[in-house]
């Protein structure tokens, strides 16, 4: 984690990331592999676009009726023997989880991969309370052992290659011999985690979906470690954002097709774990569901921004994003990276914490094309950019844009400015483009193509033919 003295804006962090050739190679190889797999399995589904539309429609219907569905979910979970807690923010959510652990005199908890618990900094809160959390997802375990932070929503250790993971395991797990074969790395992690699965009395999970009519909670995963956490401990606590609701069992048909193909390029998830309350003698005997707001209701109130809550955390937008492919996830300085992180982070954590993220995009639209629930990410990016600019103070760019508005509104002034620009640009023109320049023009041309002002404007050309 970056210290307070380290850079935190996207431009600062991205500049450092693009200089790391090994990082770019690791990210590029991994995202290309996932992107290719996704394209192949999506092409197999003849009604993929209809599925996307169904997913979008279901999410928007649920969000429009969120108050009703949340009450229904609470009633269903309680009826099945679970306990529901409401958390306005991360502090309340972490306090609820910590209090449950203390009530059971728990000193260790095992965790299922959960971005929501990263969002509220649950691990840090548990450690402050003297409770040690153990991540059980392989990628999250790598992150935890390496005192690292995740760089991808779905594949948190995507920035690490096998050789780096081998070195980390040997150093942290006390192994004297270990190859970098995936099977050997997996076996080393399995051996480390197995004792925890069998002895730790409490687990914490996130949730991919909460089904309102039955009170069933769902986690999808690829390794089976999550299922061990969800079935073996006596106490299970699930932290779920209030936007993760699905009205009925039938609706799950849509999302269980959209999610695996979009996320890992698989036809179905290897493990779909679903639990409803508690069952005597089978699985956890105490189940708590923490429903987390944490500014989600503020996002819901924003007509343009609310579509962000449709997200099902598949990460397809990350794998096609040209900006993410070059910077990796750490440049976003958030548990949510890539295009979805660029719109979700400023809305959940506030614009003060992430004002630069809406500008971390080329607006190419690739993220919108692959989103399984049709979130118009470019539209939200522009919306948030407008908010970021509106709340910022006076700047040279604002003055320049204000002058440009007046100039384009006055034909005579525009022609005069063009004549002056033709003369002023001469020392900097090369092959029809301005390279270099003075002051802010130099900063602009350093990263962007700036066409030179032509020798003849359209108005001048038109006058010669009248």
């Amino acid at each position: 984690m970056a210290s307070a003295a380290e850079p935190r804006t996207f431009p600062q962090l991205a500049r450092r990331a693009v200089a790391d050739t090994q990082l770019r190679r690791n990210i590029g190889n991994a995202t290309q592999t996932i992107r290719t797999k996704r394209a192949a399995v999506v092409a197999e589904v003849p009604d993929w676009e209809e599925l996307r539309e169904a997913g979008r429609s279901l999410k928007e219907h649920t969000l429009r009726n969120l108050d009703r569905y949340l009450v229904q979910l609470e009633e269903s979970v309680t009826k099945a023997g679970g306990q529901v807690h409401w958390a306005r923010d991360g502090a309340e959510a972490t306090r609820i989880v910590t209090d449950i652990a203390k009530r059971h005199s728990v000193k260790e908890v095992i965790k299922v991969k959960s971005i929501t618990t990263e969002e509220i900094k649950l691990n840090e809160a548990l450690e402050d309370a003297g409770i040690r959390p153990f991540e059980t997802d392989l990628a999250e375990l790598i992150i935890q052992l390496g005192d690292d932070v995740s760089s991808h929503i779905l594949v948190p250790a995507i920035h690490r290659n096998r050789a780096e993971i081998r070195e980390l395991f040997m150093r942290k797990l006390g192994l004297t011999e270990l190859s970098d074969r995936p099977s050997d790395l997996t076996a080393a992690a399995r051996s480390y985690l197995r004792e925890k699965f069998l002895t730790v009395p409490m687990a914490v999970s996130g949730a991919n979906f909460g089904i309102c009519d039955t009170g069933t909670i769902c986690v999808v995963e690829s390794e089976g470690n999550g299922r061990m956490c969800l079935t073996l401990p006596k106490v299970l606590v699930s932290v779920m954002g209030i936007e993760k609701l699905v009205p009925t069992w039938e609706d799950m048909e849509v999302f269980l097709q959209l999610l695996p193909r979009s996320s890992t390029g698989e036809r179905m998830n290897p493990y779909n774990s679903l639990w409803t309350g508690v069952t005597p003698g089978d699985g956890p005997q105490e189940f708590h569901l923490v429903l987390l707001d944490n500014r989600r209701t503020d996002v819901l109130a924003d007509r343009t921004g609310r579509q962000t809550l449709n997200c099902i955390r598949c990460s397809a937008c990350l794998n096609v994003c040209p900006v993410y492919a070059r910077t990796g996830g750490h440049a976003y300085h958030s548990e949510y990276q890539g295009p979805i992180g660029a719109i979700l982070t400023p809305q959940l954590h506030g614009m003060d914490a992430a004002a630069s993220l809406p500008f971390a995009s080329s607006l190419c639209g690739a993220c919108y094309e692959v989103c399984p629930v049709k979130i118009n990410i470019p539209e939200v990016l522009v919306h948030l950019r407008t908010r970021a600019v509106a709340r910022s103070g006076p700047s040279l760019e604002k003055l320049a844009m204000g002058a440009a508005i007046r100039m384009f509104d006055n034909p005579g002034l525009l022609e005069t400015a063009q004549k002056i620009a033709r003369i002023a640009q001469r020392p900097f023109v090369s092959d029809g483009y301005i390279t270099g320049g003075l002051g802010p023009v130099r900063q602009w041309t350093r990263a962007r193509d700036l066409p030179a002002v032509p020798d003849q404007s359209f108005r001048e050309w038109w006058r010669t033919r009248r």
Side-chain angles (χ1 to χ4, degrees):
M1 180 70 73
S3 70
E6 291 184 317
R8 288 174 182 269
T9 68
F10 184 83
Q12 293 170 328
L13 294 166
R15 192 172 295 117
R16 186 168 64 183
V18 295
D20 188 337
T21 54
Q22 183 63 57
L23 172 71
R24 293 210 314 273
R25 194 175 299 117
N26 294 347
I27 297 285
N29 291 339
T31 54
Q32 177 62 43
T33 300
I34 300 172
R35 196 161 61 234
T36 303
K37 286 179 63 180
R38 176 203 166 275
V41 297
V42 164
E44 296 173 347
V45 184
D47 60 345
W48 180 253
E49 289 305 318
E50 287 79 3
L51 274 172
R52 288 181 71 207
E53 180 58 27
R56 183 202 62 78
S57 177
L58 277 168
K59 293 295 289 187
E60 292 192 357
H61 164 79
T62 308
L63 290 173
R64 280 198 304 272
N65 299 278
L66 192 60
D67 52 346
R68 175 164 61 87
Y69 283 124
L70 280 170
V71 171
Q72 184 184 14
L73 178 71
E74 181 182 31
E75 291 172 351
S76 299
V77 170
T78 304
K79 185 178 178 182
Q83 301 176 47
V84 176
H85 310 262
W86 299 84
R88 283 172 294 191
D89 53 29
E92 279 196 357
T94 55
R95 186 165 59 249
I96 291 167
V97 178
T98 304
D99 286 348
I100 294 170
K102 287 180 177 177
R103 200 156 60 239
H104 289 275
S105 302
V106 166
K107 295 298 181 185
E108 296 179 339
V109 300
I110 50 177
K111 289 189 66 219
V112 186
K113 180 180 181 300
S114 163
I115 312 174
T116 306
T117 61
E118 284 186 51
E119 175 190 321
I120 60 175
K121 311 298 180 194
L122 179 61
N123 282 8
E124 290 85 341
L126 288 170
E127 288 170 354
D128 288 345
I131 301 163
R132 190 175 178 189
F134 288 91
E135 297 289 349
T136 62
D137 175 84
L138 179 56
E140 289 288 359
L141 175 63
I142 293 167
I143 294 295
Q144 188 176 40
L145 290 176
D147 296 322
D148 202 352
V149 291
S150 65
S151 62
H152 191 280
I153 289 175
L154 190 71
V155 194
I158 196 171
H159 56 288
R160 298 273 195 174
N161 59 34
R162 283 185 288 159
E164 292 172 327
I165 296 169
R166 169 184 174 272
E167 187 278 330
L168 175 67
F169 277 10
M170 291 184 69
R171 180 162 45 88
K172 290 289 186 172
L173 303 183
L175 303 175
T176 54
E177 292 186 10
L178 182 65
S179 80
D180 64 358
R181 288 195 298 269
S183 57
D184 290 344
L185 297 174
T186 304
R190 180 184 296 123
S191 176
Y192 172 73
L193 291 172
R194 185 140 296 180
E195 180 192 355
K196 300 301 177 187
F197 288 136
L198 295 173
T199 58
V200 175
M202 174 172 159
V204 178
S205 82
N208 290 97
F209 305 103
I211 305 171
C212 300
D213 64 349
T214 61
T216 302
I217 309 301
C218 174
V219 162
V220 300
E221 47 144 352
S222 299
E223 299 173 1
N225 290 342
R227 179 164 293 179
M228 301 278 271
C229 294
L230 298 167
T231 53
L232 292 175
K234 297 183 183 303
V235 181
L236 172 60
V237 182
S238 300
V239 182
M240 186 176 80
I242 57 174
E243 81 281 18
K244 299 288 186 68
L245 305 191
V246 174
T248 69
W249 261 102
E250 287 74 17
D251 300 327
M252 287 292 288
E253 172 195 355
V254 174
F255 296 110
L256 291 182
Q257 293 181 75
L258 289 173
L259 182 54
R261 291 177 190 268
S262 300
S263 57
T264 55
E266 296 171 301
R267 296 180 181 88
M268 65 178 293
N269 289 101
Y271 294 89
N272 296 311
S273 297
L274 301 108
W275 62 101
T276 307
V278 295
T279 302
D282 184 14
Q285 296 301 292
E286 190 172 314
F287 169 57
H288 300 264
L289 176 63
V290 181
L291 291 170
L292 176 70
D293 184 334
N294 209 28
R295 295 197 179 192
R296 284 165 172 78
T297 47
D298 293 338
V299 181
L300 187 63
D302 184 336
R303 182 171 294 182
T304 303
R306 72 177 55 152
Q307 58 186 307
T308 312
L309 298 178
N310 291 359
C311 180
I312 56 174
R313 310 289 191 265
C314 70
S315 76
C317 60
L318 279 73
N319 301 325
V320 300
C321 178
V323 175
Y324 176 85
R326 283 155 183 79
T327 65
H330 289 163
Y332 293 82
H333 199 63
S334 168
E335 61 280 355
Y336 301 105
Q337 308 88 18
I340 191 65
I343 62 173
L344 191 56
T345 304
Q347 295 184 88
L348 291 186
H349 294 309
M351 198 63 82
D352 286 339
S356 63
L357 286 187
F359 299 89
S361 169
S362 64
L363 298 179
C364 67
C367 49
Y368 183 30
E369 292 178 9
V370 300
C371 179
V373 285
K374 290 188 168 183
I375 301 172
N376 192 337
I377 293 177
E379 181 185 38
V380 183
L381 283 168
V382 173
H383 174 64
L384 294 176
R385 287 182 185 188
T386 305
R387 284 172 49 184
V389 171
R391 64 192 298 279
S392 64
S395 68
L396 188 59
E397 186 176 4
K398 278 187 174 179
L399 290 174
M401 290 299 170
I405 290 172
R406 289 190 291 276
M407 183 178 66
F408 285 115
D409 199 38
N410 186 325
L413 188 59
L414 176 61
E415 287 197 34
T416 301
Q418 287 170 329
K419 290 174 183 174
I420 295 173
R422 284 184 200 123
I423 298 171
Q425 72 180 0
R426 284 175 186 165
F428 310 106
V429 173
S430 176
D431 294 330
Y433 288 91
I434 297 174
T435 56
L438 299 175
V441 176
R442 181 194 295 274
Q443 293 182 3
W444 182 274
T445 57
R446 190 177 293 163
R448 302 171 178 86
D449 293 331
L450 181 61
V453 178
D455 293 335
Q456 187 180 46
S457 69
F458 174 78
R459 289 176 183 274
E460 292 165 341
W461 173 85
W462 182 253
R463 279 198 292 267
T464 63
R465 285 158 176 77
R466 292 177 66 181

